[in-house]
Amino acid sequence: MKIDVVDVGHVYPGPSSRRVLDGVNVALTERRIGIIGANGSGKSTFLRLLNGLIVPSEGRVEVDGLDTAKKAREVRKKVGFCFTDPDSQIIMPTVAEDVGFGLRKSGLPKDEQRAKVMALLEHFGLAGHADHPAHLLSGGQKQLLAMASVLITEPTLLVMDEPTTLLDLRNAAMIGRVVAELEPAVVLATHHLYLLESFDRVLVFEGGHLVADDAPGPAIATYRRLMEAA
Amino acid sequence: MRSLGLYVPGDSFLHRAPAGAKLLVLLVFGVATVFLNQWPGVTVALVVVLGLYAWARIGWRMLFAQIRPLWALLLFVAVFHTWVSGPVRAYEVLGALIALVLAAALVTLTSPVSAMVDAVVAAARPLRRLGADPERIGLMLTLGIRCVPLMAVLVREVSEAQWARGAQRSVRAFAVPLIVRALRQADALGESLVARGVDD
C-alpha cells in the first residue's frame, strides 16, 4: 500500500477557523509507521485524512492512487480506523454481533459470517465473551473488540488513533503485542513511545507541521527535545 | 444492563424461532390483550407468558428484572385503579400491562439484536418504494438500543462529578454537562459509523 500526502493543509471551519495542519508532504509505504506529537499537534487530523474521515482543505491525499476526497468509499474499504475510546466505536450490544456488524453487507451466508467472527474472536482471546454485552468488557478487551470489528472487513491498512491512551500499562503493552503481530500495515499514533521502538518509521508533528520523519530512535529523540524545550 | 432485556443465549424453541415471527406474534398478542381486558382473559395472558418464560428456560430472577424498572408506575396504576374502579379492574389493567411488558421482553431475551434488526429491515423493504432506506431504519433501531447503556454511563459519570463538586441539588449542573457529553458521544459514534463504511 502507498499513501501520498501532497501539500496538505487543513483548517477546521467555524468562527475560530483553526489551522491544524500546514504544508505536509509525505509518502508512506512501510508496514509499521508511528505518529507522535503533543496534544493538538495535528496527529489525529493527519490520521483522519488517511481514510477520508476528513477531506483536506488544501492539497490531496491518495491511497493506492485513490483520492480520498473523490473515492472515500473505496478508500475506507482499504483503510480501517480505530479510535481512542472504544466505547464510541461499539455499535451492537454483544461482542460477536459488533464484530459481525461489518459483514452485514458482505453477502456471505449467516453461518459463514458467524464462523469468520468466531475465528477472529478466538485469535483475540475474546471467544469466551462472544455473547456477552460489549459495554461490560474491560478497557483492554474493548480495545481488542474495536480492533477485531475493524479487521473483520480485512483492510490492508489499520490506522489507530492513540488506542492505548485510556489503558493501564499492562493493557497498553498487550495492545502493542497484538499490533506487532497484525497482518495489515499499521499507522499508529501514541504517547506510549516504547510501542514504536520496533516500527519502520516514525513521524513527529508539532504545531500542525511535520517536523521529523525518521527511524524510531532519532524521531523519538527529536520529540523528547521538543517537549523538554517547550 | 442485562435487565434492559438483552439477549440471553439458549437453545429453546423460542430461541430458535425467527425474530420476525416472534415480533409478529408479539403484535397479535398486544392487540389481543387490549380486547381481552376482562379478568379471565388477562389471567390466561399472564399464564401463557409465564409458561413461555419457563419454556425458554429463563429464570424468575431474569423475569422480575424485566418489570423491576417499572415498579413505581405499576404501583401508581394499582393504587389509582383500586381507588377509582375497584380491585378487579386494577388487576385487569395491571395484569395486562405486566403481560405485555414480559412478552415484549421475552422477544428481546430470546432474539439477538442482529436478528431483530434483520427482521425490521426485511419488514421495512416495501417502504423502499416511498424512498425510505430499510438498512437505515435497522441502523436506527440498533443505535437506539446501543444508546441506552451509553447514556446510563454518562448519567452515572455526570452524577458522580456533580456529587464530587457539591452541586448535587442543581438541575443545570446536571443537565448541561450531560447534554454536552451526549452530543459529543453522538458525534464520535457518527464518526465511527462513517469509518466503518456504514454511510457508504
Side-chain angles (χ1 to χ4, degrees), chain A residues 18 27 30 34 36-37 39 46 53 55 61 66 97 118 129 144 164 166 174 183-184 198 210 213 220 222:
Chain A
R18 221 159 30 97
E30 292 79 1
I36 53 179
N39 295 332
F46 179 77
L53 273 175
V55 176
V61 178
L66 297 168
E97 285 178 304
M118 289 311 294
H129 299 284
L144 286 176
T164 56
L166 302 177
M174 180 269 292
E183 178 62 29
S198 61
L210 177 60
D213 177 359
I220 290 171
T222 304

Side-chain angles (χ1 to χ4, degrees), chain B residues 149-179:
Chain B
L150 266 182
M151 284 305 292
V153 170
L154 287 187
V155 166
R156 196 191 65 222
E157 287 176 357
V158 171
S159 302
E160 284 173 357
Q162 202 181 4
W163 276 89
R165 298 180 66 183
Q168 60 267 36
R169 288 179 191 278
S170 166
V171 174
R172 204 173 70 157
F174 177 74
V176 172
L178 182 68
I179 291 168

Side-chain angles (χ1 to χ4, degrees), chain B residues 9-59:
Chain B
D11 60 353
S12 71
F13 172 76
L14 277 174
H15 283 87
R16 283 179 275 120
K22 283 185 274 191
L23 286 169
L24 202 62
V25 170
L26 176 65
L27 182 70
V28 173
F29 182 78
V31 173
T33 313
V34 172
F35 290 104
L36 299 172
N37 60 358
Q38 302 298 307
W39 70 265
V42 169
T43 305
V44 169
L46 279 170
V47 169
V48 167
V49 170
L50 294 179
L52 288 173
Y53 268 77
W55 197 16
R57 292 185 212 99
I58 289 171

Side-chain angles (χ1 to χ4, degrees), chain A residues 48 51 53 73 76 81 83 87-93 97-98 101-102 104-105 110 131 133 135 149, chain B residues 1-2 6 9 112-114 117-118 121 135 139 142 146 149 185 188-189 191-196 198 200:
Chain A
R48 279 162 171 74
N51 84 332
L53 273 175
R73 184 184 300 186
R76 280 198 275 272
F81 200 103
F83 295 86
D87 266 319
S88 66
Q89 207 168 326
I90 295 168
I91 295 167
M92 298 299 277
E97 285 178 304
D98 193 59
F101 183 79
R104 280 181 63 80
K105 291 181 184 172
K110 290 281 175 199
D131 292 318
H135 63 276
S149 299
Chain B
M1 286 300 160
R2 276 269 187 232
L6 278 181
V113 170
S114 52
V117 171
D118 287 343
V121 169
E135 281 291 337
L139 184 64
T142 309
R146 169 67 186 129
Q185 194 78 52
L189 197 57
E191 195 178 36
S192 162
L193 286 168
V194 174
R196 288 174 76 171
V198 173
D200 293 334

Side-chain angles (χ1 to χ4, degrees), chain A:
Chain A
M1 167 162 285
K2 183 167 189 264
I3 297 175
D4 290 300
V5 179
V6 184
D7 293 330
V8 162
H10 191 69
V11 178
Y12 282 109
S16 56
S17 67
R18 221 159 30 97
R19 174 169 285 280
V20 284
L21 281 179
D22 193 21
V24 179
N25 278 288
V26 68
L28 308 172
T29 53
E30 292 79 1
R31 291 198 67 249
R32 293 290 182 270
I33 297 166
I35 308 287
I36 53 179
N39 295 332
S41 60
K43 300 188 303 292
S44 293
T45 304
F46 179 77
L47 294 180
R48 279 162 171 74
L49 291 169
L50 302 183
N51 84 332
L53 273 175
I54 291 176
V55 176
S57 319
E58 300 147 17
R60 66 177 197 282
V61 178
E62 288 182 359
V63 176
D64 282 342
L66 297 168
D67 191 327
T68 58
K70 295 169 187 158
K71 302 277 183 188
R73 184 184 300 186
E74 286 86 341
V75 168
R76 280 198 275 272
K77 280 182 185 158
K78 288 171 176 278
V79 184
F81 200 103
C82 272
F83 295 86
T84 307
D85 181 4
D87 266 319
S88 66
Q89 207 168 326
I90 295 168
I91 295 167
M92 298 299 277
T94 67
V95 171
E97 285 178 304
D98 193 59
V99 176
F101 183 79
L103 298 176
R104 280 181 63 80
K105 291 181 184 172
S106 66
L108 285 174
K110 290 281 175 199
D111 51 345
E112 276 184 45
Q113 287 188 22
R114 177 78 183 178
K116 208 173 164 186
V117 166
M118 289 311 294
L120 195 57
L121 289 179
E122 189 74 47
H123 180 73
F124 281 124
L126 292 172
H129 299 284
D131 292 318
H132 292 177
H135 63 276
L136 294 184
L137 294 178
S138 71
Q141 287 171 329
K142 278 184 191 172
Q143 198 54 265
L144 286 176
L145 170 61
M147 287 166 65
S149 299
V150 173
L151 291 171
I152 194 78
T153 57
E154 299 174 4
T156 46
L157 171 68
L158 181 62
V159 177
M160 307 181 81
D161 186 8
E162 299 185 31
T164 56
T165 295
L166 302 177
L167 304 180
D168 59 36
L169 286 176
R170 184 181 297 145
N171 277 311
M174 180 269 292
I175 293 292
R177 285 194 298 275
V178 171
V179 168
E181 291 167 7
L182 288 179
E183 178 62 29
V186 173
V187 177
L188 169 72
T190 183
H191 293 296
H192 287 110
L193 302 177
Y194 66 93
L195 295 178
L196 305 177
E197 283 166 3
S198 61
F199 273 41
D200 303 315
R201 182 178 177 185
V202 173
L203 311 183
V204 184
F205 282 86
E206 175 68 6
H209 297 273
L210 177 60
V211 294
D213 177 359
D214 215 325
I220 290 171
T222 304
Y223 174 57
R224 285 191 199 283
R225 275 198 302 279
L226 279 170
M227 293 303 101
E228 283 160 12

